[in-house]
């Protein structure tokens, strides 16, 4: 594994008014909708959407208005309406979230910060509350490497801001909790086949779920994908080479999900594996050489117990979890192949109690312990095993956390939380959270939020390199301080408005020194921003969700932050059409210009995606057709220092056909 170059020396670029032209398309203030002849009964009204409880914010169910964050929920109906096949596609529809793709991995930027190549280390991804971020790179999977099929997701909970007071490691910019479907919700067998061009991508899934007569709920699913990719032209810069990467963009995945539950007990098993060929010469490897790839795998097991006692005033939950992950790369340097395999293993336990026995208080106390008992890293010289290097490693984490939701009056509530974490790398860290929530009227809620979160350096960052005398660098924790004000207002039963204003400072940022090629703590990053969004529904089943995000991130010395668009615009419109039971899903997304590593600026762009589906042809059958990048927009995104390229061209127009059948 090669290392990245520090980006803090780059100069901040001025903003031009002309860059915002595309935004006008994305944020039209008036939208006229012709209601269909009859409402689609499968769609949820805005009132129903607001009543969906969230568990990812505090690890127990809360109303959205009571969550100490500007929480967003993406439902299974939305995923189907827009045809999203990866987590990043769904999250990109939310305020303040943007995506970067380098033809190996997908990276999520949140509220102005998303350094290319950082593996989503500052976002925590969970599946039913179980941490997915791996123990070596801290990477939060958001693309094809996510170990669960999107068709198995019931909802996605996005909780922006520091979640360290509850979750500890990685929960800095946001927590993303994926809630899966149950067997009862599936209630039968399902098969799905999808095909996409020009990627020559085909994927399939077979699932079965149900609740048996004895009360046992079972869901099982197997899925896979294979894509040839595209034959794209790359300029490999300083290497002096350029050409078409013929057959070097392939991708394939395999996944399995199983769950069984009865009464208070449940058992889940998640497995996912991705093999991605490398057309870019990643980590400055030899360009246009076949046989270079990255592999990522996750195997997660979780046994949970949840029950209520003392007249339902005491909720007790406990879980045992294990993880057996895999990461590997095969790269060529000077016509010599190197591999970087790792197979980290972990195990842990969490116990939590929530009490409502005390009037006006919801009290929570929890203890979580995780032992990453095998996080060794290797460098393999394929042609000369005598030069192989293995660096053993292990780390433990223990966190004690508590929270009090205190209702001060009928209209005012406070959330007070604190987590104490200890690990054997950086010692002890405190992550507090404070929120005041004012229910001004039945339609208006105001929130004032403050929080601190920490991230200890991961095993890869804290390693001095692949040498026989490799040692810990002794890096400090990253620490983020966030202050935020949110205002939610309902207009009638079908229109919701939200405004969020925030500022945060990230201290002791962990980046790589471009001279020594090892990681170091660097200067702080400051960001401030505002997010405005609306959510409108109609009786016909149509829904419009849009947002505008203005964000400004810079280093303490005034230098601009790489890959940080100052403006994001989002528009998502779905509606039944009065033609053969069709449903329309249209997505328009605008990202303003971004700074690259060499100090140049990439122009902003607006992307449109169109998705048409129908369930009227036969019972249980859904047929759909999607067009990605509808207008074939040519655009590029910043590359990281592990690429020959300064920017990477993104995909043009693509066509996809899906057939899903439930019986």
């Amino acid at each position: 594994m090669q290392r990245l170059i520090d980006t803090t020396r780059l100069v901040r670029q001025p903003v031009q008014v002309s860059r915002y032209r595309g935004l006008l398309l994305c944020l039209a203030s008036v939208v006229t909708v012709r209601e269909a002849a009859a409402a689609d009964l499968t769609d949820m009204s805005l009132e129903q959407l607001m009543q969906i409880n969230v568990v990812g914010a505090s690890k127990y169910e809360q109303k959205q208005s009571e969550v100490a964050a500007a929480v967003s929920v993406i439902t299974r109906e939305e995923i189907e309406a827009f045809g999203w096949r990866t987590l990043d596609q769904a999250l990109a529809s939310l305020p303040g979230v943007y995506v970067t793709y380098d033809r190996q991995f997908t990276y999520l930027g949140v509220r102005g910060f998303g350094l290319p190549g950082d593996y989503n280390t500052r976002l925590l991804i969970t599946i039913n509350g179980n941490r997915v971020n791996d123990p070596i790179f801290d990477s939060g999977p958001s693309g094809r490497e996510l170990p669960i099929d999107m068709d198995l997701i019931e909802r996605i909970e996005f909780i922006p801001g520091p979640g360290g007071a509850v979750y500890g490691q990685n929960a800095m910019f946001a927590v993303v909790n994926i809630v899966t479907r149950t067997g009862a919700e599936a209630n039968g067998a399902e098969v799905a086949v999808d095909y996409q061009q020009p990627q020559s991508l085909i994927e399939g899934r077979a699932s079965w779920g149900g609740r048996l007569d004895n009360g046992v709920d079972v869901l099982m699913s197997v899925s896979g994908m294979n894509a040839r990719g595209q034959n794209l032209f790359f300029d490999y810069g300083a290497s002096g080479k350029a050409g078409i990467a013929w057959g070097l963009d392939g991708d394939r995945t395999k996944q399995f999900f199983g769950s069984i539950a009865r009464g208070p007990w449940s058992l889940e098993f998640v497995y996912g594996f991705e093999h991605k060929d490398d057309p870019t010469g990643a980590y400055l490897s030899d360009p246009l050489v076949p046989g270079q790839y990255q592999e990522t795998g996750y195997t997660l097991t979780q046994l949970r117990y949840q029950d209520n006692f003392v007249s339902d005033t005491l909720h007790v939950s406990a879980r045992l979890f294990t993880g057996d992950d895999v990461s590997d790369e095969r790269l060529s340097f000077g016509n010599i192949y190197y591999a970087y395999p790792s197979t980290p293993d972990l195990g842990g336990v969490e116990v939590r109690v929530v009490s409502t026995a005390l009037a006006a208080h919801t009290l929570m106390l929890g203890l979580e312990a995780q032992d990453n008992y095998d996080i060794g890293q290797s460098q393999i010289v394929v042609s000369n095993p005598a030069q192989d290097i293995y660096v053993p490693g292990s780390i433990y984490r223990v966190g004690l956390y508590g929270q009090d939701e205190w209702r001060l009056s009928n209209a005012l509530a406070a959330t007070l939380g604190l987590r104490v974490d200890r690990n054997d790398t950086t010692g002890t860290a405190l992550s507090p959270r404070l929120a005041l929530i004012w229910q001004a009227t039945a339609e208006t809620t105001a929130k004032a939020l403050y929080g601190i979160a920490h991230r200890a350096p991961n095993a890869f960052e804290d390693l001095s390199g692949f040498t026989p005398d490799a040692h810990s660098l002794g890096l400090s924790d990253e620490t983020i301080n966030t202050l935020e004000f949110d205002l939610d207002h309902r207009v009638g039963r079908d229109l919701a408005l939200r405004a969020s204003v925030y500022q945060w400072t990230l201290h002791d940022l962990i980046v790589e020194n471009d001279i020594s090629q090892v990681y170091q703590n660097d200067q702080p990053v400051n960001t401030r921003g505002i997010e405005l969004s609306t959510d409108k529904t109609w009786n016909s089943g149509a829904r419009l969700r849009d947002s505008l995000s203005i964000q400004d991130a810079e280093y303490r010395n005034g230098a601009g932050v790489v890959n940080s668009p100052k403006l994001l615009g989002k528009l998502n419109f779905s509606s039944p059409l009065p033609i053969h039971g069709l449903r329309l899903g249209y997505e328009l997304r605008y990202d303003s210009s971004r700074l690259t590593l060499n100090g140049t600026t990439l122009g902003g762009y607006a992307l449109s995606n169109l998705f048409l589906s129908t369930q009227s042809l036969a019972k249980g059958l859904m047929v759909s057709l999607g067009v990605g990048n509808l207008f074939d927009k040519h655009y590029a995104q910043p590359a990281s220092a592990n690429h020959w390229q300064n920017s990477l061209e993104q995909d043009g127009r693509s066509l996809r056909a899906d057939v899903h059948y439930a019986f």
Side-chain angles (χ1 to χ4, degrees):
M1 174 74 70
Q2 305 298 297
R3 295 189 178 275
L4 309 181
I5 293 177
D6 180 12
T7 61
T8 60
R9 300 175 294 125
L10 301 179
V11 179
R12 185 180 179 188
Q13 302 296 309
V15 179
Q16 302 296 328
V17 174
S18 62
R19 298 178 193 170
Y20 304 149
R21 292 175 182 172
L23 185 62
L24 299 177
L25 296 173
C26 190
L27 297 172
S29 58
V30 178
V31 176
T32 303
V33 176
R34 172 179 288 184
E35 297 189 355
D40 184 349
L41 299 180
T42 66
D43 292 303
M44 304 179 70
S45 68
L46 181 62
E47 189 174 30
Q48 291 172 314
L49 290 167
M50 295 299 103
Q51 292 175 353
I52 295 177
N53 286 342
V54 174
V55 299
S58 296
K59 297 187 177 181
Y60 60 84
E61 284 196 356
Q62 295 175 287
K63 296 180 180 178
Q64 295 183 46
S65 61
E66 298 172 351
V67 172
V71 63
S72 298
V73 176
I74 297 173
T75 64
R76 180 161 60 92
E77 287 76 14
E78 283 185 273
I79 295 173
E80 291 180 350
F82 294 101
W84 293 321
R85 294 303 304 148
T86 56
L87 178 63
D88 63 274
Q89 291 175 352
L91 294 179
S93 70
L94 300 179
V97 180
Y98 58 100
V99 175
T100 306
Y101 176 56
D102 65 3
R103 313 210 80 83
Q104 285 90 42
F105 299 103
T106 300
Y107 309 95
L108 295 173
V110 178
R111 290 183 166 178
F113 195 86
L115 295 181
D118 261 5
Y119 301 116
N120 298 330
T121 57
R122 299 170 186 90
L123 279 80
L124 177 63
I125 311 295
T126 66
I127 298 177
N128 296 325
N130 193 23
R131 174 185 297 269
V132 184
N133 295 59
D134 79 277
I136 290 183
F137 304 101
D138 269 346
S139 66
S142 61
R144 288 288 182 177
E145 71 275 15
L146 183 75
I148 193 165
D149 194 292
M150 291 290 286
D151 287 340
L152 302 181
I153 296 176
E154 182 63 25
R155 69 179 185 272
I156 302 168
E157 302 171 347
F158 181 76
I159 304 103
V166 175
Y167 288 95
Q169 182 80 354
N170 301 118
M172 301 187 73
F173 290 134
V175 173
V176 180
N177 183 43
I178 297 169
V179 179
T180 60
R181 299 166 65 187
T182 65
E185 289 165 340
N187 193 31
E190 298 177 2
V191 292
V193 178
D194 309 334
Y195 183 74
Q196 179 175 312
Q197 280 285 40
Q199 291 79 13
S200 297
L201 180 154
I202 186 168
E203 61 182 319
R205 174 181 61 88
S207 306
W208 180 85
R211 179 167 293 171
L212 307 180
D213 293 340
N214 60 3
V216 175
D217 186 279
V218 180
L219 177 62
M220 294 183 294
S221 179
V222 60
S223 56
M225 181 275 294
N226 188 80
R228 293 181 184 176
Q230 300 186 65
N231 298 319
L232 304 174
F233 177 86
F234 291 95
D235 186 338
Y236 297 90
S239 73
K241 294 185 178 181
I244 297 177
W246 293 101
L248 302 182
D249 193 33
D251 194 1
R252 60 180 184 267
T253 67
K254 49 186 176 181
Q255 299 166 327
F256 176 81
F257 177 78
S259 69
I260 182 170
R262 183 179 184 183
W265 293 94
S266 64
L267 176 66
E268 298 169 358
F269 178 81
V270 181
Y271 170 77
F273 179 84
E274 182 192 28
H275 172 106
K276 179 66 180 71
D277 293 333
D278 171 35
T280 66
Y283 305 106
L284 307 184
S285 59
D286 297 334
L288 301 175
V289 173
Q292 302 192 91
Y293 59 80
Q294 292 80 33
E295 292 182 338
T296 306
Y298 297 87
T299 303
L300 308 171
T301 306
Q302 178 176 221
L303 175 65
R304 292 190 295 174
Y305 172 84
Q306 301 180 90
D307 208 350
N308 295 320
F309 301 91
V310 194
S311 302
D312 289 339
T313 63
L314 182 66
H315 178 77
V316 177
S317 61
R319 66 188 188 100
L320 296 172
F321 56 92
T322 65
D324 301 289
D325 301 335
V326 62
S327 174
D328 194 10
E329 291 177 300
R330 184 183 174 98
L331 304 171
S332 173
F333 297 97
N335 296 317
I336 298 175
Y337 280 100
Y338 293 79
Y340 300 88
S342 62
T343 55
D345 296 315
L346 64 90
V349 61
E350 183 175 15
V351 179
R352 184 174 62 255
V353 294
V354 179
S355 173
T356 57
L358 186 61
H361 291 268
T362 299
L363 299 170
M364 177 181 67
L365 183 65
L367 176 67
E368 181 180 13
Q370 179 172 319
D371 184 12
N372 303 325
Y373 54 88
D374 182 5
I375 52 174
Q377 302 174 67
S378 301
Q379 176 179 274
I380 306 298
V381 183
V382 177
S383 61
N384 189 358
Q387 296 181 1
D388 294 352
I389 297 173
Y390 174 73
V391 182
S394 64
I395 186 175
Y396 73 83
R397 302 176 188 146
V398 178
L400 177 65
Y401 58 93
Q403 180 173 285
D404 181 12
E405 278 190 77
W406 182 10
R407 181 155 295 282
L408 302 171
S409 68
N410 289 335
L412 185 64
T415 298
L416 305 143
L418 177 66
R419 177 165 171 143
V420 182
D421 279 291
R422 179 159 184 85
N423 63 70
D424 55 358
T425 301
T426 57
T428 303
L430 301 179
S431 300
R433 174 163 71 178
L434 172 63
L436 290 175
I437 301 175
W438 179 35
Q439 191 72 48
T441 67
E443 297 81 20
T444 305
T445 304
K447 301 178 182 180
L449 313 170
Y450 174 76
I452 297 177
H454 300 268
R455 182 180 76 89
N458 58 56
F460 176 64
E461 293 167 334
D462 199 41
L463 187 66
S464 62
F466 288 110
T467 63
D469 60 347
H471 60 276
S472 170
L473 295 171
L475 301 176
S476 299
D477 287 354
E478 288 185 345
T479 303
I480 190 170
N481 297 266
T482 300
L483 179 63
E484 180 176 347
F485 298 95
D486 299 326
L487 182 65
D488 288 277
H489 180 66
R490 291 271 301 278
V491 180
R493 300 180 60 183
D494 55 14
L495 176 61
L497 309 175
R498 170 177 289 174
S500 300
V501 181
Y502 62 86
Q503 67 174 27
W504 55 257
T505 299
L506 180 60
H507 297 278
D508 293 319
L509 174 66
I510 300 173
V511 294
E512 188 180 34
N513 185 294
D514 60 341
I515 298 176
S516 63
Q517 293 191 326
V518 296
Y519 283 83
Q520 65 183 27
N521 292 111
D522 209 346
Q523 61 176 305
V525 180
N526 298 312
T527 291
R528 58 187 62 181
I530 181 171
E531 296 169 352
L532 306 173
S533 61
T534 67
D535 197 339
K536 167 71 175 175
T537 61
W538 286 266
N539 291 335
S540 65
R543 183 184 181 189
L544 172 68
R545 179 164 58 86
D546 59 15
S547 67
L548 168 65
S549 302
I550 305 171
Q551 50 201 24
D552 183 26
E554 62 181 22
Y555 293 98
R556 180 65 57 86
N557 65 4
V561 175
V562 171
N563 195 36
S564 179
K566 294 185 179 297
L567 279 178
L568 299 173
K570 314 289 178 73
L571 184 150
N572 287 80
F573 177 70
S574 63
S575 176
L577 300 177
I579 306 172
H580 302 298
L582 284 174
R583 183 170 188 87
L584 165 73
Y586 175 71
E587 182 176 21
L588 182 59
R589 199 172 77 234
Y590 174 77
D591 291 24
S592 70
S593 59
R594 308 188 196 185
L595 188 67
T596 67
L597 276 173
N598 70 2
T600 60
T601 300
L602 294 175
Y605 53 86
L607 297 177
S608 289
N609 301 313
L610 181 67
F611 196 72
L612 291 170
S613 60
T614 180
Q615 300 184 49
S616 65
L617 300 179
K619 182 179 180 181
L621 177 66
M622 183 174 77
V623 178
S624 56
L625 177 67
V627 185
N629 195 353
L630 179 64
F631 299 108
D632 200 23
K633 174 69 176 178
H634 293 277
Y635 68 105
Q637 294 174 341
S640 66
N642 60 7
H643 290 99
W644 294 105
Q645 303 83 4
N646 183 57
S647 63
L648 292 168
E649 193 77 15
Q650 301 297 301
D651 287 346
R653 183 187 296 115
S654 63
L655 299 176
R656 194 177 93 240
D658 305 341
V659 178
H660 293 203
Y661 184 59
F663 54 94

